[in-house]
Every structure is written in structure tokens, then in C-alpha cells.
Amino acid sequence: MEPQFDDELQQLKNALRQPTFRFILIGHNRYSLYKDIADWLRATFPERTPVELRLAEKDYRHINDELLTLKPGIVLIPDFGWLFKEGNESICVAFNQRRDAFARLDIALICFIEPSEFVQVPKKVPDWWSLRSLELDFHRETPDSTGEFINQELEPSSSLGGQTREEKQAEIQRLLRQVETTEPENKAILAALYSQLGSLFFDLSNYDDANTYWQQSLAMRQQIGDRSGEGTTLNNISQIYYARGDYEKTFAYLEQSLAMRQQIGDRSGEGTTLNNMATLSYARGDYEKTLAYLEQSLAIRQQIGDRRGEGTTLNNISQIYDAQGDYEKALVYLEQSLAMRQQIGDRSGEGTTLNNISQIYYARGDYEKALAYLEQSLAIQQQIGDRRGEGTTLNNIGRIYIEQQQVEKAIPLLIRAYKLFETIGSPNSTITQGHLNKIIAQIGEEKYNQIVQSIPSDSVYPID
Amino acid sequence: MKKATRMDEIDAAVNKFEPVTPNDEFYVDFKNLRGDFQERDVMRILNVTKPDGHYRFNYQPNRSNKTLLFLAGMRGSGKTSELAKYAQLLHSPGCFFVVTCNVDEELDMDNVQYMDILVFQLEKLLQKAAEVDLSISDDILDSMNEWFQERVKEINRSLKAEGSAELEVGNENPFSVAGLLGKLLGVTTKLKLGLSGSYERAVAIRTTIKNRFPDFSIKFNTFIEQTNEQLRREGKGQEVLFIVDGLEKTMSATTRRAIIMDESNRIRQIKANTIFTLPIELMKEEQHIRNFSEIITFPFIKIIDRDGSTVQEAIERFEEFICKRVAPELFDSLETIHLAIRYSGGSPRQLLRIIEQAGWQADTAVGQITNENMRRAIDKLGNATARYLEPTDFDILKSLKTDLDAGNPIGFNSSIQNLLEKEIIFEYNDGTYKRVNPLLEVSRLYQHRVVGEA
């Protein structure tokens, strides 16, 4: 995990060093943080392998019985915030009442919540809160990706200006020149140019400039009554806030976008915005809402025959089931998504879905199958020149090799992934860098450099 | 519980999950240090005197008066330990036959209601009576048993009509307690288990007994009186005293309020000396509650007085509290211990939390908690406390700061209540003396939004 979390992880380690009861609250803004913390705990406390206990949709009796049958150890509750939902008051009450009974068990409960849910804890389970052992906040700027939830983001698509950073910057210059030469009264064109500039800056993770241009585009589109464009831009602006972890604002913009698109009957746009709302709910761990949005999005896309969108949504639905540990269902949706994408020749989507299927097998510990799917995904992505996809898949293959203690195989792949991400200006480079740092920490810099030096120049994954 | 003499023993020694009773080596009596709260007030309300150094309850003048006392206090103030102290002090042949009922540990059900607590109290009394071989006459037990068996039949008729599984209460004694006492204990235990079973079963039991409540209260009260007589005959106590702990953890705030407000008639019909812990948020209903019971606030220990002066005796008692758990050599100085005490605000639980966190900050190679470790711990906990502040809290805190600086008494309203429950402010004396949680005061957010803007 990133060095910025060292202090929090040290506190967590100290809090867990005695095998006694603990009630620990962890606020996190990305689902990937839960996974990473869980992995870290498994590595740090191998003799007390953490078990996962989910609360969603269970009644108090069920939760009580599960807790009482747990062996002494570390228990991760990824959806502790579910307790605070409307309708769960009696579960909170019962859970609160039994604090002292549970506190006699030698289990360390590590409860994951959204940052905004901290204030609910003293209200809903005040006696648990009173006995809290530790509260930690983990905040990650970069959006979850690298084989996780696929977010259909912008319109126009991010194929604007090519794929590399240089190509996109060149396109930015071209567009700026066009802006200079466009008459100020020609708002429609200016709005479109600003929109493209926003997209390009967003692709390069320059959110300030992206926001500036999209806001200008929005203002113009409103002035000229371009409601379709307005809906699109509102959707786009939401992604800036999403990328920054400001979910409140993300939601506000998505709501506006949705309302606009519904008003004007832009069904395709509506499907997109619903998909993005699903992404937001997913990031918040609200799987119920996520599914609801995705199902709405799917229905619309099926109705209007948007098969590309349909493939995306089927893929996204699978991620919910994946997150809930229902791998069977996740696979069903992934297979549907894959079939759809293969049918319509959506190679990029096909590569993504193959990557996601590999994640199911990875989660199940079936590394052989996971690798097989990743290799299929990689072949497609290299064929079509999908650098972002290629970087993702290389990263994921590297991760499996790390799990299998094959760091010599992992390093060249991760370096290639890192370079790809850097080239296209993707924030995922931080994640890949993190994997490399872990390896260095594990084997030492000297050994790492030796391995890097030994990579043949004509290898499948050349180092530039 | 073992005193920590090494760094790796500190975690266990500052365990805040296990209440400390007077018999424990960690126990410290904070008598006379909780401002206006005096143990003697509790004793007075219970009609207990101490003529010869031992607590005595004279039942004669109090035959028709039974005490119902609510002890209200913030979480972590030490209520459970205090009640354990009373249980020990008052349980004697010349005083009470104390029956402790820990609602939170032993009643495993959602939506606990007053009826459930009564059944539970009866069960605990029967268990305790069996433990001391109390010879309650067969007629008395038979009478109770018959009444409950009839109720079980009613309950089962009701469950059968709904197609639900019936309550199984046989005439054989499955318990180790012989005779009718065992049978009655068996019935009450099964009823209690039934209350924690299916929703339908719980509703059937509650409804049946509620519908027969006047009869239930007569049976219950008579049984208590008969038990009291027998206790006196056998020299085992003058009267039964129930101590019901954990009530404040049960139910939603709405239900707790309903119990105190709507169930007060039923509560009044039960003639048994009882101490309940009271949910702190119900202190605002004090006037209503005083119509049918007594109520005492159990505040935090006061370490700083209104005029800003330190209460030296409280500091010394907290030193004892710490040093009984953690060997003083594990701190680099007395000043480090005092730092922790200052930031505890007089809450024993908060003090344990501070030391625990400081222990986590410490370098085990150094072998001591240093002043720097303690400051870091305080800083972290302060910022953690600030996490629970909502935007509306800041205005209240600013106004509170103004009142505190001017030495004004702080009244009560629902906003203050909310801050008390979140441990943002602490309450002392009779409740009019409030201070901001000292941990919060060091947080960056408080400094910026309250001190900076005040």
C-alpha cells in the first residue's frame, strides 16, 4: 500500500498485536482500499488469517449466530455502514445491546465505513462506539481501476487526441488554436471545443483545467439552449468530482445530468448517466443502489438497442456480485457481457471482460485460470493498441506472479505497465509503482536492480 | 487482570471491555470525587443506614415503600463498577439480598421491553434463591407455578392458532434445582428463551403477560414479599434489591422513552426495590420520572473545578487508578502520567483509551511510554474525536465556550444532549457544570472552527 498509509497501518498493527477483543473503525473512500487493507492484514498476521463477515440483508439473529461461531481472530466487516440504513434500526439496537456479550470474545472486529458514516456510529450503536479501540481514515485519490469496476466515463470518448500523452497534448494545442480563431459569438463551436479540451485534460488527470473548460462549455451550452450538450457536460463534470472522491458533488451533477437527459428523452445519455450513478454507489459500498441503477441502465440500453452499452452494463453488474463474493453470479454476467461484446466486435470491451473474468478466478485463488484469461485479454489489447487496457492487464499478471512468489517474472511486466500508464498519463501508474515498491521492500534494491538489468532487450515486454 | 510490568502487557492491563468490581486488584473507589454525587445519597434513597460500620436496612418503617432508583450517567463514567460496589456493600443479612441482572449480557433479543426485564428479574431471583437454598414454601411456589403454567397454555394456544411452534415447558425438572423451585425456574427460563426466539413467540408471550398484568404484578409482588419474609427468617437479608444494569443499551431511544413514559404505570405497580441504569438522554424527562421514582446523576470525576483549579485529590486517585494497572516505571515520568489524566476529562474509560494509544505509540525497545508518545496519542485521539462533529455542532461549541469562559452554568437542551452522547462535552456535579472534552480541544478542527472563530 502507498507510503502515505504507513502511519495508519502501524497503528492498526499495534492495535492488533494482542489477540483480544477490538472494535476498530476504518473509513475509506475507495473499495480497493478495503481489499488492500485485507491483503495487508493477511500478510501481517499470517497466524490469524482474517475472515470476512458481511452484514447486508441479514437479520440480527443471523449476525449474532455468525459472530458467536467465529474462532478467535480478526474479522473484517466490509459493509458495517449497512447497519445505519433506514429500516435497520432494530438490528442496530440489538447489536448495541449485546456489546458486552460480544466484547468477551477474542475477536478483533475491523469495521469498514464510508468517511461520512463516522457520525452515524455514536448515534446508531453508541455503546459500541464508546468502547472503540481505534478509528482510522484511508483516502485514496486515484479512482479504482486496474481490473476493477469499469466506468464508461465521457462523451466524446477518450480516444480524443490519440492515446499517448504527447499526442493528447498536441491535440490540446490544436484545439486552443482553434479557440483563438473562432468568433466569440459562435458559442456552439466554442462549447464543443471547450468540451473536447475538458476531455483531454481529464484524460491527462489535469482536473483543474478539465473543470475550467467543461464549466465554460456548460455555460455556453446553457446560453444557447443546447440541452443535450448540457446533459453531457454535467455528466462529464461529475467525473471530476468522482475522481477526487467528492461523492456529494458527483451525485449532484449526475442528478442534474439525469434529469436533463430524461427531460429531453436522451435515452442513450440516460443509460450512461445511470451507469455512472451506479459507479458512485459502488464506490460507496451501496450495492443495492448500484444494482438498481445498473438494472435501469441495462433496461434502457436493451430497449434502445445499445448493445455496446449493454455489454458494459452487464460487465458492471458482474462487479457487484464479485464485490459481494457471489462469484457464480458474477461469472454469469461476465459471460453474457463477453458474448455480447464478441458478437458486436467490441474488442476493447472484450479485453476488459476477459480481464474481469480473470479477477474472479484470482479471487478464488485459481491463479492458473486467472492467468489464462489475462493472457487472452492481453493478446487482444496489444492487437488493437489499447495501451490503457494493456497496462491494466500487465499489472494484473504481475500481481499474480507476486502472489506466486515469482518476482522475476513480475518485474518486467510491472515496469512495462508502469511505462504504459505514464505514457498515456493514467493515474494507475501509482498502483503499479506500489507493486514495484513492495517487491523492492521484499527483495532489496540490489536484487531488484540485478533483475532489471537481466531483462533481455528482445523480451516480449521490452523496456524502452 | 494482571498489572503491566512490561510494555507488551499494557494492552491487557488497560482493557476497557471488562468492568471492574470491588474485588478486583484494579478497583479504585472515586468516592466523594464526583462533585455533587455522593454515595450516601444513594444509600439514603434506599433507606440504608450505617449505624455500626455496616450497612443496614430496616424493613419495618419501609414495608410499604419500595425504592425505584434510576442512576443516570455518561458512558464510561463507571456506572457498572459503582453498581457492583453497591451489590457487594449491600448484600448481607442485615441489609439486602441483592440480585444483579445484566440485561445487556443475558437478554439476547432485539427490541427488549419492560415485560422481558421483569421475567428476567424473576428468573434471576429464583436462581439466586436456589443458590442459597432459600426454603420458599411449596404453597407459594405452587401458586406461582400454576399461574405461569396457565399463562404458558394461553401462549401456546395463541401460537398454535398462528401455526407457530409452541413453547415447551414440561412438568419434569430439566434443571439441577430440585422440586417446585426448579419447576418455576424452568418456566421463567423458558419464557425468557421464548422472548429471544421468534418474533411471533416473543409477541405472544409479551401480549399474554401484558394482558394479565394486574394479575402478574399481584403474583410478582406477593412473591417478592413472601421471599422477603423467608430471607429474614433464614437470616439471609432483609429484602430483595434488584440491580438492573444495561437498560440504557437496550432498545432504540424511542422505545426507551416509551418505556419510561408509557410503561411508567406498569413500573409503578411493581413493588420491589430496584436500581436501574438510566439512559442519559432521558434526563430531560427528569420531572416526569420523579413522579414514580428517584433519579440520581452519576457524573464523571471532576479534575478541574469551575474556577479552573485542579482537584488534587482526583488527580491522586487517578494516579492510583493508572499505577494499579501499569507499573509507574513504564512511564518516563510522573508528568507523563499527569498529562494523560488531564486529558481524560475525568472519564476513566477515556483515560484507559489514552494510555492504550500511548502504548501503541511507544517504541518497545525504549521500554517506556514517553511524554512525546503521550502527546502524540492525545493529538491522534483529539483529531479522531473531532471526526464526529457535524456542522451544527460548531455554533453550539462556540456559545458553550463563551459561557464557560464567563463561568456561567450550562443548562440542558437536545443539542447539548447530542454533544453529551458523542462525548464532545462532559458533565460534572449536578449537570450544570459542563466542559468540552479536553481531547477535542486539542484537535485542529476545534482550534480552527471554534477557538479561531469565537
Side-chain angles (χ1 to χ4, degrees):
Chain A
M1 288 184 72
E2 298 93 296
Q4 70 193 82
F5 299 135
D6 283 352
D7 190 41
E8 282 81 4
L9 293 173
Q10 186 59 44
Q11 287 186 69
L12 187 56
K13 188 176 176 184
N14 289 343
L16 292 172
R17 65 188 174 203
Q18 301 295 336
T20 183
F21 178 79
R22 293 278 183 249
F23 176 58
I24 295 172
L25 291 163
I26 295 188
H28 66 118
N29 73 325
R30 297 270 183 254
Y31 181 66
S32 59
L33 280 164
Y34 164 70
K35 284 191 170 177
D36 289 346
I37 293 168
D39 288 341
W40 179 86
L41 284 165
R42 283 185 197 103
T44 311
F45 298 98
E47 73 289 355
R48 293 158 70 195
T49 313
V51 297
E52 187 177 275
L53 170 66
R54 287 183 183 266
L55 305 182
E57 311 313 325
K58 291 176 184 163
D59 61 26
Y60 162 69
R61 183 60 47 207
H62 195 165
I63 295 169
N64 175 71
D65 292 346
E66 280 196 51
L67 273 170
L68 292 177
T69 52
L70 287 171
K71 291 200 184 93
I74 298 171
V75 179
L76 308 176
I77 304 182
D79 57 354
F80 192 73
W82 175 83
L83 277 179
F84 310 146
K85 295 206 177 313
E86 206 180 299
N88 291 341
E89 289 79 11
S90 63
I91 303 177
C92 280
V93 162
F95 191 69
N96 189 64
Q97 181 208 326
R98 292 288 283 163
R99 179 202 75 185
D100 283 359
F102 291 134
R104 293 190 187 286
L105 306 171
D106 285 332
I107 52 174
L109 292 175
I110 304 183
C111 305
F112 290 81
I113 55 176
E114 269 183 49
S116 62
E117 285 170 339
F118 271 109
V119 290
Q120 294 292 332
V121 184
K123 287 180 191 171
K124 300 282 186 170
V125 285
D127 291 283
W128 279 90
W129 177 77
S130 180
L131 277 193
R132 64 202 183 283
S133 313
L134 185 65
E135 301 124 305
L136 296 170
D137 247 319
F138 288 80
H139 183 86
R140 185 171 267 166
E141 289 292 340
T142 53
D144 284 349
S145 58
T146 317
E148 295 199 58
F149 205 85
I150 298 295
N151 179 15
Q152 185 168 317
E153 298 168 357
L154 328 161
E155 293 170 42
S157 82
S158 60
S159 64
L160 281 179
Q163 286 199 67
T164 70
R165 192 192 290 273
E166 288 76 25
E167 286 165 357
K168 287 187 190 285
Q169 278 166 351
E171 177 66 3
I172 286 171
Q173 294 310 311
R174 281 191 289 274
L175 290 166
L176 286 171
R177 287 194 292 272
Q178 289 174 56
V179 166
E180 275 169 21
T181 57
T182 304
E183 298 291 305
E185 308 82 56
N186 211 329
K187 293 192 193 311
I189 294 178
L190 282 171
L193 291 170
Y194 289 145
S195 180
Q196 289 182 62
L197 281 162
S199 302
L200 286 158
F201 279 117
F202 185 88
D203 285 348
L204 295 173
S205 306
N206 183 341
Y207 302 133
D208 284 340
D209 285 339
N211 195 33
T212 302
Y213 285 107
W214 274 336
Q215 292 288 353
Q216 286 184 277
S217 176
L218 180 67
M220 285 195 180
R221 284 172 160 171
Q222 284 168 340
Q223 278 170 35
I224 60 175
D226 173 12
R227 300 183 82 196
S228 172
E230 192 182 337
T232 300
T233 314
L234 286 165
N235 177 86
N236 291 352
I237 293 171
S238 78
Q239 297 310 292
I240 292 176
Y241 291 108
Y242 178 76
R244 285 175 166 162
D246 186 347
Y247 295 152
E248 294 300 322
K249 281 221 172 85
T250 307
F251 188 72
Y253 275 97
L254 283 172
E255 262 196 313
Q256 288 182 69
S257 171
L258 185 68
M260 178 68 61
R261 286 171 150 176
Q262 283 171 339
Q263 250 179 50
I264 62 172
D266 175 9
R267 300 282 272 159
S268 175
E270 189 183 344
T272 301
T273 304
L274 283 165
N275 185 80
N276 288 348
M277 284 173 122
T279 308
L280 179 62
S281 303
Y282 181 90
R284 282 170 152 170
D286 187 349
Y287 300 140
E288 208 179 282
K289 258 207 187 116
T290 308
L291 258 177
Y293 285 131
L294 286 173
E295 276 158 11
Q296 286 180 65
S297 175
L298 183 67
I300 289 171
R301 285 168 161 181
Q302 284 169 340
Q303 261 172 39
I304 63 173
D306 175 10
R307 303 186 79 197
R308 193 162 189 277
E310 190 182 340
T312 301
T313 312
L314 287 165
N315 175 86
N316 291 353
I317 292 174
S318 79
Q319 298 306 288
I320 307 306
Y321 291 111
D322 180 13
Q324 291 176 320
D326 189 349
Y327 299 134
E328 289 305 320
K329 258 204 181 121
L331 263 177
V332 164
Y333 279 96
L334 280 168
E335 275 154 15
Q336 286 181 42
S337 172
L338 183 67
M340 174 77 55
R341 285 169 151 177
Q342 284 169 338
Q343 251 177 51
I344 62 173
D346 175 11
R347 299 282 273 157
S348 170
E350 188 184 345
T352 300
T353 307
L354 286 164
N355 182 84
N356 288 351
I357 293 174
S358 81
Q359 296 307 294
I360 303 287
Y361 288 106
Y362 175 84
R364 282 172 161 175
D366 188 348
Y367 297 146
E368 294 309 315
K369 263 212 174 110
L371 270 174
Y373 278 99
L374 282 169
E375 272 153 18
Q376 285 184 62
S377 174
L378 186 66
I380 292 172
Q381 282 153 349
Q382 285 175 333
Q383 218 177 66
I384 63 173
D386 176 7
R387 292 185 188 215
R388 192 182 295 271
E390 187 186 350
T392 299
T393 307
L394 286 169
N395 176 90
N396 292 352
I397 297 174
R399 207 169 66 176
I400 292 182
Y401 283 138
I402 293 175
E403 292 287 343
Q404 292 180 321
Q405 313 289 323
Q406 297 187 68
V407 296
E408 272 146 343
K409 276 188 175 172
I411 289 169
L413 306 183
L414 291 170
I415 290 175
R416 169 106 181 131
Y418 177 81
K419 284 174 187 282
L420 279 166
F421 287 138
E422 282 289 289
T423 304
I424 61 174
S426 166
N428 291 345
S429 59
T430 319
I431 294 167
T432 311
Q433 181 71 65
H435 292 319
L436 287 166
N437 288 342
K438 248 192 264 181
I439 292 175
I440 294 171
Q442 208 181 316
I443 65 174
E445 222 166 323
E446 202 183 309
K447 172 97 174 133
Y448 172 82
N449 289 333
Q450 271 172 15
I451 294 171
V452 171
Q453 295 306 321
S454 70
I455 297 171
S457 54
D458 62 344
S459 84
V460 177
Y461 307 111
I463 309 299
D464 298 327
Chain B
M1 290 184 184
K2 184 176 169 286
K3 178 172 174 170
T5 51
R6 292 188 340 229
M7 292 298 285
D8 60 359
E9 292 171 344
I10 292 178
D11 271 0
V14 297
N15 171 9
K16 40 188 186 311
F17 308 119
E18 227 173 297
V20 169
T21 59
N23 293 331
D24 293 327
E25 60 174 290
F26 290 169
Y27 181 78
V28 169
D29 193 350
F30 287 98
K31 209 161 146 173
N32 300 326
L33 292 170
R34 293 182 189 263
D36 296 343
F37 173 83
Q38 297 290 333
E39 184 183 291
R40 61 170 179 262
D41 291 333
V42 175
M43 299 307 168
R44 176 183 53 75
I45 289 169
L46 290 172
N47 296 307
V48 166
T49 56
K50 207 174 177 184
D52 54 359
H54 298 286
Y55 286 106
R56 301 238 173 255
F57 174 72
N58 187 356
Y59 75 94
Q60 287 286 14
N62 302 299
R63 278 207 92 128
S64 54
N65 297 328
K66 302 297 177 212
T67 302
L68 178 57
L69 169 63
F70 285 98
L71 189 74
M74 293 184 70
R75 291 181 180 89
S77 57
K79 291 191 299 299
T80 296
S81 295
E82 186 76 2
L83 290 174
K85 183 177 80 173
Y86 299 150
Q88 207 176 63
L89 288 175
L90 301 176
H91 184 77
S92 70
C95 200
F96 289 112
F97 184 73
V98 179
V99 179
T100 303
C101 311
N102 291 317
V103 171
D104 44 1
E105 278 185 53
E106 298 186 60
L107 277 188
D108 180 14
M109 55 190 77
D110 44 357
N111 202 19
V112 168
Q113 296 190 15
Y114 181 57
M115 207 53 47
D116 311 342
I117 296 168
L118 278 177
V119 171
F120 180 45
Q121 282 178 251
L122 187 58
E123 187 206 17
K124 296 300 284 186
L125 173 60
L126 291 167
Q127 273 175 359
K128 194 103 188 197
E131 277 168 29
V132 299
D133 279 326
L134 194 67
S135 305
I136 305 172
S137 95
D138 281 356
D139 287 331
I140 294 170
L141 291 170
D142 224 347
S143 170
M144 284 290 278
N145 199 31
E146 285 300 322
W147 190 86
F148 275 104
Q149 292 285 357
E150 284 301 310
R151 302 290 74 70
V152 168
K153 283 181 194 162
E154 274 181 37
I155 290 163
N156 283 340
R157 278 198 289 273
S158 169
L159 288 168
K160 199 170 171 180
E162 288 176 16
S164 299
E166 292 174 25
L167 205 60
E168 285 169 28
V169 180
N171 278 323
E172 304 81 27
N173 178 14
F175 297 91
S176 59
V177 180
L180 276 167
L181 183 58
K183 278 190 191 167
L184 186 55
L185 181 54
V187 173
T188 53
T189 301
K190 289 285 184 174
L191 280 172
K192 192 193 81 176
L193 290 172
L195 285 164
S196 65
S198 71
Y199 174 73
E200 293 77 19
R201 194 176 274 192
V203 166
I205 295 171
R206 284 181 192 133
T207 307
T208 303
I209 298 180
K210 261 191 202 175
N211 288 343
R212 302 276 185 203
F213 194 83
D215 293 340
F216 175 80
S217 65
I218 289 172
K219 299 301 296 179
F220 188 93
N221 292 339
T222 309
F223 184 72
I224 294 292
E225 269 314 306
Q226 288 162 334
T227 305
N228 287 342
E229 283 287 342
Q230 192 57 30
L231 284 168
R232 286 190 285 270
R233 250 183 238 127
E234 293 187 27
K236 287 169 177 151
Q238 299 299 301
E239 279 196 5
V240 172
L241 169 67
F242 289 105
I243 294 182
V244 183
D245 194 5
L247 181 68
E248 75 285 2
K249 294 190 193 69
T250 65
M251 304 162 273
S252 61
T254 321
T255 312
R256 282 199 293 270
R257 191 172 187 285
I259 283 191
I260 302 298
M261 307 303 280
D262 305 339
E263 294 265 33
S264 60
N265 280 329
R266 290 204 185 91
I267 296 174
R268 270 188 255 217
Q269 289 180 56
I270 298 299
K271 306 288 178 206
N273 300 303
T274 313
I275 303 177
F276 282 108
T277 42
L278 179 75
I280 189 80
E281 82 269 6
L282 288 176
M283 279 304 290
K284 60 179 176 277
E285 309 294 348
E286 191 180 337
Q287 263 191 323
H288 176 93
I289 295 169
R290 284 196 186 281
N291 286 335
F292 61 92
S293 71
E294 295 284 347
I295 181 168
I296 276 188
T297 313
F298 188 70
F300 282 139
I301 296 112
K302 194 170 56 170
I303 54 175
I304 296 180
D305 226 320
R306 275 192 218 256
D307 59 6
S309 60
T310 306
V311 181
Q312 195 51 37
E313 200 187 337
I315 302 289
E316 285 165 13
R317 206 69 63 81
F318 269 122
E319 263 181 48
E320 185 192 339
F321 177 85
I322 295 173
C323 295
K324 276 189 172 179
R325 292 171 183 259
V326 181
E329 308 81 73
L330 294 180
F331 297 93
D332 66 348
S333 67
L334 190 59
E335 168 53 32
T336 300
I337 295 177
H338 283 179
L339 186 61
I341 294 170
R342 267 208 305 283
Y343 281 92
S344 72
S347 162
R349 186 173 290 165
Q350 181 153 299
L351 178 55
L352 292 175
R353 182 175 288 122
I354 291 170
I355 296 171
E356 182 182 59
Q357 179 74 230
W360 294 341
Q361 295 296 327
D363 182 346
T364 47
V366 170
Q368 281 186 325
I369 294 173
T370 64
N371 200 273
E372 199 201 313
N373 299 145
M374 192 62 74
R375 285 191 187 280
R376 275 207 82 199
I378 287 163
D379 192 54
K380 282 202 181 298
L381 288 172
N383 290 323
T385 306
R387 198 180 263 123
Y388 300 96
L389 288 170
E390 293 176 271
T392 46
D393 294 338
F394 293 108
D395 289 329
I396 304 167
L397 286 170
K398 279 181 218 163
S399 132
L400 206 65
K401 187 176 185 321
T402 309
D403 280 333
L404 283 169
D405 290 345
N408 298 336
I410 313 288
F412 185 88
N413 59 48
S414 56
S415 322
I416 295 282
Q417 179 57 45
N418 180 39
L419 295 181
L420 282 168
E421 287 183 25
K422 289 196 289 195
E423 296 174 18
I424 301 295
I425 57 178
F426 285 172
E427 195 169 71
Y428 306 94
N429 291 350
D430 58 353
T432 56
Y433 175 31
K434 291 175 176 65
R435 294 190 75 91
V436 175
N437 183 341
L439 280 180
L440 179 68
E441 284 179 324
V442 302
S443 73
R444 287 185 286 276
L445 195 60
Y446 181 85
Q447 287 294 318
H448 176 66
R449 292 291 304 273
V450 179
V451 177
E453 291 180 17

